[in-house]
Structures are given as C-alpha cells and as structure tokens.
Amino acid sequence: MFVQAIICVLIGVILKKSDGEKEKRETKSKPVSRPWVDEDLKDGTDHPVEEEEVDEEWQGLDENVAHVPFFADRYSEAEMIKRSQAFYELLNKRRSVRFLSDEPVPREVIDNVIRTAGTSPSGAHTEPWTFVVVQDPDVKHRIREIVEEEEEINYKKRMGDKWVNDLKRLRTNWIKEYLDTAPYLILIFKQVYGRLPNGKKKTHYYNEISVSIACGILLAALQNAGLYTVTTTPLNCGPHLRALLRRPANEKLLLLLPVGYLKRDATVPVLTRKPLEDIMVVV
C-alpha cells in the first residue's frame, strides 16, 4: 500500500511538471498583444520580393548618373540663429486640431505642400510614397464611414482599457466629423515595393522610414501655409480605403490627414512639450 502511494505521488509530480512546462512553452510562444499595430501596415521587410522576380542586374537606377557641383547659400551665424529661432517658433505653434472649417482652401496650396513633402530623402532615392488628395464630398463621407466603423471596434474591443483611458484626457473617440468638414483629406501611402519597366518588382529600401520623413516635412509645410490637421492612423482601415481609392496592392496606408483652416470655436487640450534638456543629449 505504501509503495502504491509513493508511485501515485511520483506520477502526480511528473504530470504537474509536464503541465507546467507545457504552460511555459505556450506562454512563451504566445505572441505579445500589440493592438496599435495595423496588420495591413507592414514594412517592406515583411513583404519580401520573391527570388524569381528579383532583377539583380538592374533596379531601374542609372549607374552612371551625372554628378555636378553643388552650391548653396551660406548664412552668417547671426542669420542662422535668427532663421532657426523663427522656424522653431513657427512649428511650436503647430497643434493637432480636430475642429476644422469647411471653408475652401486654394488647391495650389495643397499642390505646393505635397511638392514640398516630395523633396524628402528616401532609401536609394526610390521615393516610395503616394499622396492621395480627396476633395469629393461623397468620397470623403465614405472614408468617414469606413474609419468610424473600424474605430468603434478599436475603442470597444481592440485597443484595451489602458489605451482608451490614455486618450480620455484628449477627448477623442471614434466619431470623426472632420473627415466630412475638412476641404481636403490627404492619405499617405507607402509603396512597399515598386515595378521595373520589365514588370519585375523593384526594392524600396527603408520605405516606411522614408515615407515617415516625408510626412514630417508635409506637416511642417502645412503649418508654414497656415493650415491645420490632426495625424490619424486609421487602424485596420487600410485595405478598405485602398480598395475605395483604387490603389494597388503594393501601397499601404500610413497616415490620413484632414486639412483645412481652424473652426472659429476650435479648442485644443492644454499640453506642454518636453524641454530641450529632456530630448537632446550632447556627447
């Protein structure tokens, strides 16, 4: 009887240990929940170019591109300080604004700010960006419907309590009236790859970083023109919006910007920015 009891105990210990190890493996293999990551929004490294389609000999860039002397204005130290201070003061007035007027904005201004964004540097000068400008009221409203439908799910199910609570102080929710009222919506797509004249895929190096830099330049250009926006990343809306706007499969929605003048009764939260000593390290 004693021996049988010992055997039972040993079997129980072994089974418990086995279950514990299995639980550990399952916990370890379980992917970390990152609700802020849009499954459609993958970097080019997640969309590898198939080996059989890669053209190792030529990527569409002329190897013998001419190099010419480059000259640029050089300012005095006093002028440099003056210009840099003025530019900082201009951009320090930039705020994310959700209350935009429906007052018309000259189309030429939009053309110019996107031209400016297009001066951004990019990996191997592949310029992997597409700026889709929407001004048609019906298309804007359809975009709003798509975004609000997904955003309601995001707020209620996907984002989690912590994220939703962090946004409460900013008074944001899934209602996006500005998608109807703003005279323009600019949707910025990153091209995860391009196409060569022979139809094969063309590698777009660092495509997300390149397009993100272009977005930053676009925000500065809008501020310089006296226009306002709010940076929106419509989680899980990419495929629907890409289909609505008839964009190809190699383009992934990175950012959506409603653009316009301020409403007269526009408000913003009282926020402060980190001081220089908190964001700069000099070595």
Side-chain angles (χ1 to χ4, degrees):
M1 193 73 176
F2 178 75
V3 173
Q4 289 177 337
I6 292 294
I7 292 173
C8 289
V9 170
L10 288 174
I11 291 173
V13 170
I14 292 170
L15 289 174
K16 187 175 180 181
K17 185 178 181 183
S18 175
D19 289 342
E21 288 176 352
K22 182 181 178 183
E23 189 176 332
K24 278 184 181 178
R25 285 196 301 271
E26 288 176 351
T27 302
K28 192 174 182 180
S29 62
K30 187 179 180 181
V32 178
S33 175
R34 296 192 299 164
W36 57 89
V37 175
D38 192 324
E39 287 303 312
D40 183 60
L41 190 58
K42 299 290 187 179
D43 197 79
T45 52
D46 297 307
H47 294 266
V49 178
E50 291 83 353
E51 284 188 26
E52 66 272 15
E53 293 191 10
V54 172
D55 191 330
E56 296 291 351
E57 297 297 321
W58 184 58
Q59 277 282 303
L61 300 175
D62 187 351
E63 292 181 1
N64 299 313
V65 63
H67 284 233
V68 297
F70 178 67
F71 303 98
D73 293 332
R74 177 165 177 169
Y75 306 111
S76 67
E77 289 189 4
E79 181 66 13
M80 289 169 64
I81 293 171
K82 179 181 176 182
R83 290 170 67 94
S84 62
Q85 179 66 26
F87 191 64
Y88 160 70
E89 290 174 0
L90 171 68
L91 290 190
N92 194 39
K93 295 175 183 176
R94 187 206 60 76
R95 296 298 306 267
S96 294
V97 178
R98 294 168 175 82
F99 304 97
L100 299 173
S101 167
D102 60 0
E103 183 181 349
V105 170
R107 170 62 186 278
E108 188 176 358
V109 176
I110 301 301
D111 292 349
N112 286 337
V113 296
I114 290 179
R115 280 195 188 97
T116 303
T119 68
S120 175
S122 60
H125 193 60
T126 51
E127 302 174 295
W129 40 67
T130 302
F131 300 89
V132 178
V133 177
V134 179
Q135 58 184 357
D136 183 277
D138 292 335
V139 179
K140 287 193 299 177
H141 187 68
R142 182 67 189 118
I143 289 173
R144 179 181 177 180
E145 289 178 336
I146 291 171
V147 171
E148 288 186 344
E149 182 179 352
E150 288 294 334
E151 281 286 79
E152 184 173 4
I153 299 172
N154 292 336
Y155 272 81
K156 291 182 176 180
K157 295 181 179 179
R158 296 183 182 125
M159 291 164 54
D161 292 340
K162 184 179 184 303
W163 190 358
V164 172
N165 287 331
D166 285 345
L167 291 174
K168 277 183 179 178
R169 67 191 183 114
L170 303 179
R171 298 180 188 174
T172 68
N173 54 40
W174 60 84
I175 305 300
K176 313 293 182 185
E177 181 184 348
Y178 50 75
L179 295 177
D180 270 326
T181 57
Y184 293 102
L185 304 181
I186 303 176
L187 293 90
I188 302 99
F189 289 82
K190 65 172 189 174
Q191 302 167 7
V192 294
Y193 58 85
R195 286 289 179 186
L196 297 172
N198 60 11
K200 293 184 178 180
K201 289 184 179 180
K202 174 184 176 182
T203 304
H204 280 174
Y205 308 97
Y206 298 107
N207 55 78
E208 184 160 327
I209 294 175
S210 299
V211 180
S212 297
I213 295 171
C215 289
I217 293 175
L218 177 57
L219 292 174
L222 289 169
Q223 180 69 17
N224 182 61
L227 296 175
Y228 283 83
T229 186
V230 55
T231 53
T232 67
T233 51
L235 189 65
N236 294 306
C237 297
H240 296 298
L241 295 178
R242 187 168 65 237
L244 174 69
L245 300 172
R246 300 180 181 180
R247 303 311 309 158
N250 67 316
E251 293 186 4
K252 307 295 181 184
L253 181 61
L254 187 67
L255 203 63
L256 191 165
L257 301 178
V259 174
Y261 299 110
L262 293 177
K263 269 188 174 181
R264 291 187 178 180
D265 58 351
T267 62
V268 294
V270 178
L271 301 173
T272 58
R273 292 187 166 102
K274 291 181 179 180
L276 183 63
E277 57 269 23
D278 286 354
I279 64 172
M280 183 175 76
V281 176
V282 179
V283 179

